[in-house]
Structures are given as structure tokens and as C-alpha cells.
Amino acid sequence: MLSYTDYPFFCSSSPSSSSLSNASLDSNSQLSSDIEMVSGFHPVRDAIPEDRVADFGSASLDEDGVSRAQARHSTPPPSKQPAASASKLPVPQSTPSRPSIDSSERWDRTEKPRDDAIKKWLHDVLLDKVICDYPVVDFIFTVFGFKKEDFTEKLLARPPDDPYRLSESHCNDYITGEYTKKSHRSVERSAYPPLENLLRHLYDQLQSASPFNGAEIVALNDHLVRGSFAQVFPDFLTSWLHGDQGQLWKLAANAGELKKKLVEERPYAAVIDIEKLPDRNAPYNPPPQAAPIPGSSSVASEAASLEPDAQTISTAQSSQASSSSSRRGLKRKASKIPDGLSSKSKRRKSKSAVTSLLSDFGTVTSGTSFLIDAKSKIRGNELQIMKYLHELGSAGIRSFSTGFLIEDYTMTLWYMDRMGVVKSVSFDFLKEPHFLLLYIAAVKFATPQQLGFFPLLKFPNDRIDKDVLESYKGVSLDLSGSEDMMPTTLNDLRFVFDISDTRPLISPFSSMGRATIVAPINADPSSKTAIELCGTSKVVTKISWQSKWREAEDHFVRVARKALDAKDSTKEILKHIVDIKCSLTLSMEQLHLPRAAMEGIPKTDDYERVCRVLVMTEYFPLRLVTSPEEFKTIYVGALRGHRAVYKIARILHRDISINNIMFYIDATGRVIGVLCDWDMAKELGEITIEDMVRDTILSQAPPCASSTTPSARTAPQQTEQSLQKPTTAGAGSQPATRERKYRTGTFPFMALDLLRFVTPPHNLYRHDLESFFYVLVWFVGKFRPKEKRIGVVRKWLGANFEQVGVFKSNSIRSMDPIDEIVDGGDDAYRSACSPWIRALLMQLIKPVTTKYETIRDEVKDLWYERKPELAKLSLDENIAAAWKLYPKIAEREDIITYKSFMRCLGEEVGDDE
């Protein structure tokens, strides 16, 4: 048998984490790399997460429960019809349709998303997650830990006759220069070298008895910085790799962007007076703001173009020094502010006070920091720096990323973490160079953690260099305080990274949301606890940022394994369930991350994330199977494991995808299929067939609720795909107002009900079985055994649920598009698996789809026929009007069962299954 150690490892990872090495993604699968929402949402590697409200109502009903319910109610009993309500009830809102970056236009050569597609996606994802105008001094202190006093306490004192200063020649050259990309062939860059020299001149003036972190300011000169997501050309990096060519995002500390058009006579402060830096939390008079709009942000920014050179100035930057009357093309000698005089625009600092974040109903803010209004747009220049932070935060093992944006003479500082973006107050870096110097000093002397690297990493001597970041050699991961599966608290638990070409680091696709990282590790030889826990076996760590309200993955696995182990008849199934060694959950406060220390930044329960770290057995991806027989064994094994956990522990996986079915080789040389990634799982109760009838009727919103129920076609594109939505209580009880149902799963593999119902239905066992079918079609049609890669069915990707759902529905009913996918696969796998696909399609998937289309049309006709009177009725009264569809809906729910599914595969099902 072929040795699987010959191939790069593949481990259990969350929907947001990559399941393929970056190299394999770039060259083989046509997917750029991980968005846990899409990613960014990555439709193959990221589950579509649920919204920021807990779902107590979701439950599921197995096929036996359906049969019992049907036996009791062969016809819809009048007593079971929903009672009319005296008041109108709103239809529960559906999960908004969200853009997918992988459905966007791409560069032909690299197959990576085009620049405009990335910006559009970032705009939609971040629109309600940007905090503006955070005070500069507070920003620098909370992110980098550097303050005014550190100039004398940590740095070497400057002689009285040689203070910190700006280079006059560099200032003059910058003021009279430009830096604009007029077209893809014409670039005016006369302002670029002066700014580079100015920054380096300040950088060199900052000296300390202790060594700095080793990162240097690098001007890129239009050279590409290589990463896993997109083709990106930032203007500046602070990097451990010196030189403008061959730069890698994983070797960078932060990024910068320059936009310079304004040329005018302008004063500047040559001598930098550190004493002008305000104290932290000093009183501040905010810049003028627009009048509050009810139900929206207190500041309404003007809608701006998404073009990168857009120069529309938002209210958030109304303090920018440039004026609308400035003349372009004017080149005059700049004048400096005499030594000892203050600049004309003295920056005052604020204590931000955002009081409310109601992301489900628009943003409401007050104080001096504010959220970008959901009705406005993020400017093109801002999207440009966000694009760099997104790429940087996705490279390596990080918790956040930072950078700066310079527009003419105005500078803003930027911070992006798993919850969104914080943007500083803008300042004129020539008139107020003390802020610029403070920022440069903070970056130069920042520790690895202050530069965004994961806090539980222990770098050798707390130092970073390019060799360390290439493979994290010598870096340890301290997980002391974790719990094993008993659970027992584990002390002195340490691991070392073992990253190589055959065991690659899987970085997250997105800087936001769960941002799952999977890395190969070994027990630290000096950690007795780690050796006792893992021995010499190969394990991986999975680091992800989950909603604090979501039950942790290890909880579901722990409950499932305990239930299976309790019965002799199901112990054999344990081999099909992911083996987690230990787990650790920490808050942002416990990790001392910047957002936790930022005063006034909203930290509502619905919005907050916690870091969850798992150590688990290493598994292989489906792309490493060596024969059709192996694949079929793995597939059936995963199905049996999925069924057993559902039946015995009442846990539904809810995220069956091509990357969540994996395998290993046991001691006898047999392949064992394993179902991984239980992040989106849910412990279920039982629902009745009446609940299913209600869900199906509400698949088309009745007229009375049409104004309050966004459809899958038209829902606002404002919720981040990578932002995971909680479903069950994780830390304390939750208000009843959070009881909603949301679409859950990985986009291309979701059941059609989840894609097409206007109102999200209950998660059902048959939905997961339908996802298993889509995995089968995808694998057979896109697996390339010689290349060890799995491609994508691009038509199953798309911009929203409805479009993909309609396409898949049409494909299933006509069957030809399914055949086209399968016919494009490898001959051996197609020959072996086509009988499975045909049987499932003809006997189960097509009948369920066809029956829904019939029911859907009848519901729509009913709403249209009764529209005048329905509009006056309550929701329950409208549902009662459609209750005559009960028999057809009940019949549909009995088609896809575990027994019928396995029968199509030619597999026997035991009585206890």
C-alpha cells in the first residue's frame, strides 16, 4: 500500500480553516485559500455560520419519528392546525444572502480573485464592523503597549541640541510630489521616495540599549507580496525580509498604503516635540458630525466609489487637512513651521464612548468613536488598506494585524482582528509628527504578541527573524490549563511545532470570524504532561475564534464519544469520530488582546468571540485516497459514524462537506473514514411533522410579512460569512429574544431547503444526508488522483443562496448537469461510484426536489389568490390557510432516510442503526 506519509498532511479543521496546503490550493484546486466567511467566505472550506443570536428552537426529526407522526396523522387533524393569533406575528428573519469571493472574477494566470472582487467582498463583510476615530495615543498604547513616557524610559535620550526631527528635504520633496496610479501603465511616484526616506530617517533616530524586534521598513516599489489569498501590491511593509522583492506576508509585521494627489504650499513641523503628545484618555472635542439618523449610525458617511483612487472624504475624516479648494498640479516650495512653534492643527484626543451595537437592526452609536453607517460605503482607499490587513492577518499564526493609510498629508492607523476593524483618528503627519514618531517607535520595539502573533506562542528569546517565521522552528505552544476528554485540567502542557513541506501550516483564509489555523505539532520533550497525553503520535492543533455563545466543538465530540462508548453495540463506531486529545478556551481579556483593552469599543455578548484551541489526531484528506474501493469505505464509514452520533447522542453535524470527511490507516492497514469538524453541530430535541409543515409553508413568505422578511435574493449583504453565529448556550443563559433559526452548512453542499427557503427551516437529519450526496458528486467529478487534488464545481458556488439553490434544483430535475459533473471525473472512480450517484439521484434526491417545487408553486399560488385577505391576517392565520398541503409535505419528509440512503449504496443496515 502507498505510504500516506509521502504526502502533505491533512488534518481536521474547522469550516473556516484550510483543509489543503496553500500550495495545493493555489496550483490545483483553483481555490485561493481558506474564508472561514466566505470566510471572507470560502464556499468550500468554510461553513456558512449562523447569526449572532442563539437558536434554542432548532431541532430535528429522524425518519422513524416522521413515520410515527404520519401514522398518527394520516390526514391533517383540525386540532393540529395552528391557532389563529389575535396579533400579527412577524415571520422570523432569514439569514441574509452573502457574497462569496470564490464566485467572483479572477486573474487568468493565478486563478486568484481580482482586486475589485476582493474589495467588493470586504466592503460587504466589514460594513457594520468598522469602528472609526479611536484616539491615536490610546490606539498605539492598547495595540503596541508604547506610550509617551517610553521615549525616556525605554529609549536612549536624545541630546538637547539634537531632538527628533523631520528631514526638511524629504518633507519638501514629498509636499511637491505625487503618488497616484493614473492607469495600469502610468504611475506618478514622485512622492514615494521622499516618504520612504522620511519614515526611515525617523526609524533610524529611535535607538535603545535593548535590541529592537528586527523588522525594517520596506518600500515595495510595485512588487508583489506573496500570500495565499490574492495578488497584493502594498506600498510599504515592516518586514523581517529586507529588500523589495520576494516579500512574503508571513514574514511581515505590518503594512502601509499611500495615496498622494494634493500638491500645495504647506507648513510642517521640522522639530518633533514629544511633549505635545496628549495623555491617554484626555478630554477631546470631536470633529463635526452629521445629525443622527434614527435607526442608523450617528454619523452618516457619503456613499463612495469602490475604486482604489476614490478621494471622497467621509465625515469620519473631516479633520483632514486638505481642502476642496486646493489646486492640483501646483508645485511650490513648502514652508516649515519655525522650531518651537506649535502646528496650526493641534490634535486633541478623545475618550471614545460607543454605547450600543445593534447589528441586527442597524448600528446606533454615540460618543466620539462610531461605526460606519450600514447605509453608507467604505471608501476605496480604506478598502485598500483593509485588503492588506486581511492578507497579513491570514498569514502564519496570528490574532490580529495592523497598518497605516496616508492620504496626501493625513494618516490613519488601522487594526483588524477576528471581530472587525478599528481605525484611529486621522492626523496630519507633517504638522503633527509627534504622532508619527510615536507610531514608528511602537512598531520598531513591539514584541511578537504586540505585532499580532498568537499570544500562546513562545518565541526563542522572545525574538523573531525570517528563519523562525518560515517554519516556526523553536517556537513552542503553551496550552497549560487545557482539559482532556475526561475532563481533567492539564498543567505544564507544551508542544513544539513540526511544520515542513510534508506537514504544512494551514493558515486561515480570512482575518475575521473564526479564522481557523491548523498546525502540525509534537509533544515538547520537556513537557511530561504532553508526552503522557500524545506520546509520539502525530497530532495537530486547531486554533479558531468562535462566538462566546456557541457550544465548543470538543463538547459535542466529548458527548458523542461518551454515548458511543457506553454501549457495546456502538463502541466500534468510535473509530469514525474525530479523536480530540485536549481543549482550551480563552477570552480576549485572558489573552490580553488589544480589543479587550480598548475603552468604548462595543463588546456585546452577541458580538464577542473567544479563542478555542484543540489538540487532535492528524488525519488524511480525501485527495490522498489511492483507489475507488478506499474512497467507498471511507464514505460509508463517515455515514455510519454520522448516523450513530445522531441516533445515540441526538447530535446533528450540520456541516457535511468535502473537507470534513477524512481518514486514517489503522494497525492492520485498513482505511477508516472519520467525520471531522463538529463546530456547527447541535444537540437536538424532537420536532413534530407539524413543525416541518409550518417550515415548508413559510418557505414562501406570506404577503403580510413580505415587508419584514428579506428573501434569499434580496437580503442585505452586510453580515460577514466568517462571523460565526451562536446556536446554543455556551456560557450562561440567553434571553428568549435570541431564539431564531439560521442556515448552517458549507455553501455548495447545503440541502436545497436551507438554500431556498425564505424562512430558514429546522435542521433535519435528511438535510445532512442530502449534503452527503453533494459530496459524492463533487468528489467523483473533481478528484484528480494522479495530481492528488480535488477541484471545484464552480456553478455550485455563487453570490447568494437563492441563485445556487435554483441552479442545483434545475440540475437535479433535469439530471444532465449532474451527469456532466460526474462525466468529467476520473474513469475508475466514475465507474465505481456512478451506480451510487444514479440510485441516490433517481430514488431520493430528485423526488424530494420535484415534490418541493410542486409544493412551492402551490404555496405561491395560494398567497397570490388570497392576497387581499391574507395581508390583513396574522402569520398563524396565513399558515392555517395553507394547512391543506399537510399530506404532500409529510409524504416528502419520508423520502430520504438513513435506510433508503444506505440501500442506494448497496449497504445493509442493522436493526440498531
Side-chain angles (χ1 to χ4, degrees):
M1 178 181 290
L2 179 65
S3 171
Y4 291 92
T5 57
D6 294 338
Y7 298 100
F9 93 109
F10 194 103
C11 57
S12 172
S13 60
S14 81
S16 62
S17 67
S18 165
S19 295
L20 299 175
S21 69
N22 292 337
S24 66
L25 282 168
D26 289 345
S27 61
N28 296 328
S29 70
Q30 303 183 40
L31 297 175
S32 49
S33 182
D34 170 41
I35 187 167
E36 190 205 309
M37 245 95 190
V38 277
S39 8
F41 171 61
H42 195 291
V44 174
R45 293 159 53 178
D46 271 0
I48 293 180
E50 301 183 350
D51 213 327
R52 291 196 281 282
V53 279
D55 175 11
F56 291 107
S58 287
S60 185
L61 179 65
D62 64 12
E63 61 272 15
D64 297 327
V66 174
S67 299
R68 289 194 301 271
Q70 289 175 324
R72 291 193 304 269
H73 309 296
S74 58
T75 59
S79 61
K80 290 295 183 178
Q81 293 187 16
S85 172
S87 60
K88 292 183 173 62
L89 300 176
V91 175
Q93 291 189 358
S94 66
T95 305
S97 163
R98 303 168 186 124
S100 164
I101 194 64
D102 271 285
S103 66
S104 304
E105 193 174 0
R106 295 169 173 271
W107 299 105
D108 294 335
R109 183 173 60 85
T110 65
E111 269 295 315
K112 291 186 176 183
R114 295 179 65 91
D115 184 76
D116 53 351
I118 298 170
K119 289 181 179 179
K120 176 62 169 64
W121 173 77
L122 283 172
H123 180 275
D124 293 339
V125 164
L126 286 171
L127 187 57
D128 62 344
K129 300 173 183 67
V130 180
I131 303 295
C132 300
D133 279 3
Y134 198 81
V136 176
V137 173
D138 287 349
F139 181 103
I140 293 173
F141 179 74
T142 54
V143 175
F144 302 107
F146 199 92
K147 56 187 183 300
K148 177 172 65 175
E149 293 77 14
D150 290 335
F151 281 105
T152 56
E153 295 176 2
K154 295 183 179 180
L155 305 187
L156 298 178
R158 301 284 299 184
D161 59 346
D162 186 19
Y164 294 109
R165 62 173 59 246
L166 295 177
S167 166
E168 296 182 26
S169 61
H170 298 156
C171 289
N172 291 331
D173 290 342
Y174 177 78
I175 289 170
T176 58
E178 291 185 62
Y179 186 67
T180 56
K181 297 180 180 180
K182 299 178 180 178
S183 71
H184 69 286
R185 294 182 179 179
S186 174
V187 180
E188 171 57 58
R189 59 177 72 255
S190 56
Y192 189 46
L195 180 60
E196 174 189 356
N197 294 331
L198 188 152
L199 296 177
R200 287 182 173 174
H201 180 249
L202 290 179
Y203 200 81
D204 292 340
Q205 293 178 58
L206 296 163
Q207 299 297 323
S208 171
S210 302
F212 72 105
N213 55 41
E216 297 277 3
I217 295 176
V218 178
L220 274 301
N221 297 304
D222 286 335
H223 287 114
L224 174 71
V225 179
R226 287 182 292 149
S228 60
F229 181 39
Q231 295 190 109
V232 183
F233 300 82
D235 293 323
F236 294 95
L237 283 184
T238 304
S239 173
W240 286 276
L241 181 62
H242 304 161
D244 58 6
Q245 299 188 42
Q247 283 288 342
L248 303 172
W249 281 112
K250 66 181 180 180
L251 303 182
N254 70 0
E257 175 72 359
L258 169 63
K259 300 293 183 182
K260 175 72 160 64
K261 288 185 176 180
L262 187 62
V263 178
E264 64 176 7
E265 183 175 354
R266 189 174 190 82
Y268 58 88
V271 174
I272 302 176
D273 185 358
I274 301 300
E275 294 304 316
K276 289 183 179 179
L277 287 170
D279 296 330
R280 290 183 295 119
N281 296 314
Y284 170 68
N285 293 322
Q289 299 181 0
I293 300 175
S296 66
S297 169
S298 61
V299 178
S301 301
E302 291 292 330
S305 168
L306 296 183
E307 293 302 315
D309 291 330
Q311 295 297 312
T312 303
I313 304 301
S314 67
T315 307
Q317 294 170 315
S318 59
S319 59
Q320 185 167 320
S322 58
S323 66
S324 60
S325 61
S326 59
R327 292 168 289 172
R328 301 198 181 280
L330 178 65
K331 295 183 180 285
R332 296 178 119 182
K333 182 177 179 62
S335 59
K336 67 174 182 177
I337 297 176
D339 295 353
L341 295 181
S342 300
S343 63
K344 293 181 180 179
S345 177
K346 188 172 183 178
R347 171 59 55 198
R348 295 160 294 185
K349 205 185 87 16
S350 73
K351 180 176 181 178
S352 60
V354 178
T355 60
S356 176
L357 173 64
L358 304 175
S359 58
D360 283 340
F361 307 98
T363 54
V364 180
T365 65
S366 64
T368 58
S369 291
F370 55 88
L371 286 161
I372 287 182
D373 180 15
K375 296 180 180 180
S376 66
K377 292 185 178 181
I378 303 172
R379 298 185 300 116
N381 292 347
E382 295 173 330
L383 287 169
Q384 195 77 5
I385 187 61
M386 290 180 187
K387 181 178 67 174
Y388 301 152
L389 298 190
H390 175 262
E391 190 73 36
L392 178 60
S394 305
I397 307 175
R398 303 179 193 252
S399 300
F400 63 86
S401 55
T402 61
F404 66 85
L405 170 64
I406 294 178
E407 299 172 285
D408 293 324
Y409 308 102
T410 299
M411 186 172 187
T412 50
L413 310 181
W414 294 77
Y415 165 92
M416 178 184 287
D417 63 12
R418 306 325 188 193
M419 291 173 60
V421 172
V422 178
K423 166 190 169 186
S424 79
V425 172
S426 59
F427 61 92
D428 188 316
F429 72 94
L430 292 183
K431 291 182 178 179
E432 303 169 295
H434 41 280
F435 288 115
L436 175 61
L437 183 68
L438 183 68
Y439 171 69
I440 292 177
V443 172
K444 182 173 182 176
F445 295 100
T447 65
Q449 179 176 342
Q450 291 166 343
L451 290 173
F453 290 94
F454 188 57
L456 300 186
L457 301 181
K458 305 298 181 183
F459 287 87
N461 301 318
D462 203 29
R463 297 276 297 166
I464 297 179
D465 59 43
K466 65 181 184 64
D467 294 329
V468 169
L469 293 181
E470 285 283 1
S471 64
Y472 285 79
K473 183 178 181 179
V475 180
S476 63
L477 178 66
D478 190 343
L479 298 182
S480 299
S482 299
E483 292 183 341
D484 62 15
M485 300 303 283
M486 296 300 292
T488 301
T489 301
L490 304 173
N491 297 315
D492 190 31
L493 182 65
R494 289 173 284 109
F495 298 87
V496 293
F497 290 95
D498 184 27
I499 299 171
S500 64
D501 291 340
T502 57
R503 300 187 76 200
L505 167 70
I506 308 301
S507 297
F509 177 76
S510 173
S511 272
M512 298 156 292
R514 283 172 291 174
T516 305
I517 298 167
V518 181
I521 55 176
N522 295 325
D524 190 323
S526 64
S527 173
K528 181 180 178 181
T529 306
I531 293 175
E532 290 176 349
L533 182 68
C534 301
T536 59
S537 61
K538 291 186 176 180
V539 293
V540 298
T541 183
K542 173 180 174 180
I543 304 169
S544 62
W545 295 85
Q546 307 281 355
S547 164
K548 67 176 293 185
W549 291 114
R550 170 169 289 284
E551 196 72 79
E553 177 181 5
D554 60 284
H555 164 78
F556 297 115
V557 175
R558 184 179 289 111
V559 171
R561 293 184 69 89
K562 182 178 180 180
L564 295 174
D565 191 52
K567 299 178 64 175
D568 292 338
S569 60
T570 56
K571 285 185 178 180
E572 178 70 12
I573 300 297
L574 285 170
K575 64 185 179 183
H576 298 301
I577 307 303
V578 60
D579 179 23
I580 294 177
K581 303 295 184 181
C582 66
S583 62
L584 178 66
T585 297
L586 295 171
S587 67
M588 287 192 170
E589 286 79 8
Q590 291 171 309
L591 290 171
H592 305 289
L593 293 181
R595 184 180 289 268
M598 290 182 174
E599 296 185 12
I601 298 299
K603 299 182 181 67
T604 63
D605 289 341
D606 290 344
Y607 196 59
E608 191 171 350
R609 291 183 174 273
V610 294
C611 181
R612 303 198 192 277
V613 186
L614 303 179
V615 175
M616 63 184 69
T617 299
E618 181 179 307
Y619 298 106
F620 301 111
L622 286 178
R623 66 183 178 87
L624 296 186
V625 300
T626 60
S627 70
E629 291 71 27
E630 280 191 356
F631 167 72
K632 295 173 78 171
T633 299
I634 294 164
Y635 186 82
V636 171
L639 269 167
R640 293 190 185 279
H642 175 268
R643 170 62 179 181
V645 171
Y646 174 72
K647 183 174 182 179
I648 302 300
R650 301 302 297 173
I651 294 174
L652 188 63
H653 188 279
R654 303 198 307 171
D655 185 26
I656 305 301
S657 73
I658 196 77
N659 289 332
N660 291 344
I661 300 174
M662 307 177 77
F663 70 100
Y664 67 96
I665 312 298
D666 70 6
T668 67
R670 296 180 305 169
V671 293
I672 307 296
V674 180
L675 187 58
C676 301
D677 282 350
W678 293 79
D679 305 67
M680 308 302 294
K682 186 177 183 66
E683 294 179 80
L684 303 175
E686 184 177 358
I687 64 171
T688 65
I689 188 63
E690 285 76 25
D691 293 319
M692 297 184 192
V693 173
R694 180 185 177 93
D695 284 346
T696 306
I697 292 173
L698 288 178
S699 67
Q700 298 298 307
C704 70
S706 59
S707 63
T708 60
T709 305
S711 73
R713 286 187 203 87
T714 61
Q717 312 285 312
Q718 63 180 17
T719 304
E720 176 196 5
Q721 293 279 15
S722 62
L723 274 182
Q724 184 170 324
K725 316 304 186 293
T727 56
T728 58
S733 62
Q734 302 177 69
T737 55
R738 293 177 184 168
E739 296 183 12
R740 295 186 186 179
K741 300 187 297 293
Y742 292 88
R743 311 174 199 277
T744 304
T746 299
F747 198 65
F749 308 103
M750 288 171 64
L752 291 181
D753 289 2
L754 298 175
L755 292 174
R756 300 199 63 189
F757 280 24
V758 172
T759 303
H762 289 81
N763 292 105
L764 303 177
Y765 176 75
R766 71 167 176 84
H767 291 157
D768 276 14
L769 289 180
E770 187 176 337
S771 295
F772 270 106
F773 170 75
Y774 298 133
V775 169
L776 178 62
V777 173
W778 186 294
F779 177 84
V780 174
K782 294 301 177 179
F783 178 50
R784 302 295 179 260
K786 293 182 180 179
E787 303 169 31
K788 296 296 176 185
R789 72 176 179 91
I790 302 174
V792 298
V793 181
R794 189 156 298 283
K795 289 186 178 180
W796 287 9
L797 312 177
N800 63 41
F801 296 110
E802 175 72 5
Q803 290 178 1
V804 174
V806 169
F807 176 82
K808 290 175 73 174
S809 176
N810 293 337
S811 298
I812 289 167
R813 285 183 293 155
S814 70
M815 298 186 289
D816 288 340
I818 301 296
D819 286 344
E820 291 176 5
I821 295 172
V822 175
D823 290 343
D826 177 81
D827 291 342
Y829 288 85
R830 183 177 68 250
S831 176
C833 298
S834 287
W836 281 8
I837 294 173
R838 286 195 296 270
L840 290 169
L841 181 60
M842 292 293 295
Q843 298 177 35
L844 306 182
I845 307 302
K846 183 177 179 180
V848 164
T849 303
T850 302
K851 285 184 179 298
Y852 171 65
E853 294 297 336
T854 301
I855 294 170
R856 179 175 180 270
D857 289 343
E858 291 190 29
V859 172
K860 292 179 67 175
D861 290 346
L862 180 64
W863 294 157
Y864 183 80
E865 179 184 352
R866 298 171 57 87
K867 185 175 181 179
E869 55 189 281
L870 288 178
K872 302 175 183 178
L873 302 177
S874 69
L875 175 62
D876 282 346
E877 289 170 329
N878 289 338
I879 293 174
W883 204 251
K884 63 183 181 180
L885 297 174
Y886 181 108
K888 293 182 179 180
I889 296 172
E891 180 184 1
R892 177 176 183 255
E893 293 300 333
D894 199 31
I895 295 175
I896 302 179
T897 68
Y898 178 67
K899 291 181 180 179
S900 65
F901 198 98
M902 296 297 276
R903 190 184 308 119
C904 291
L905 305 184
E907 294 289 325
E908 296 182 0
V909 176
D911 294 336
D912 58 346
E913 290 188 83

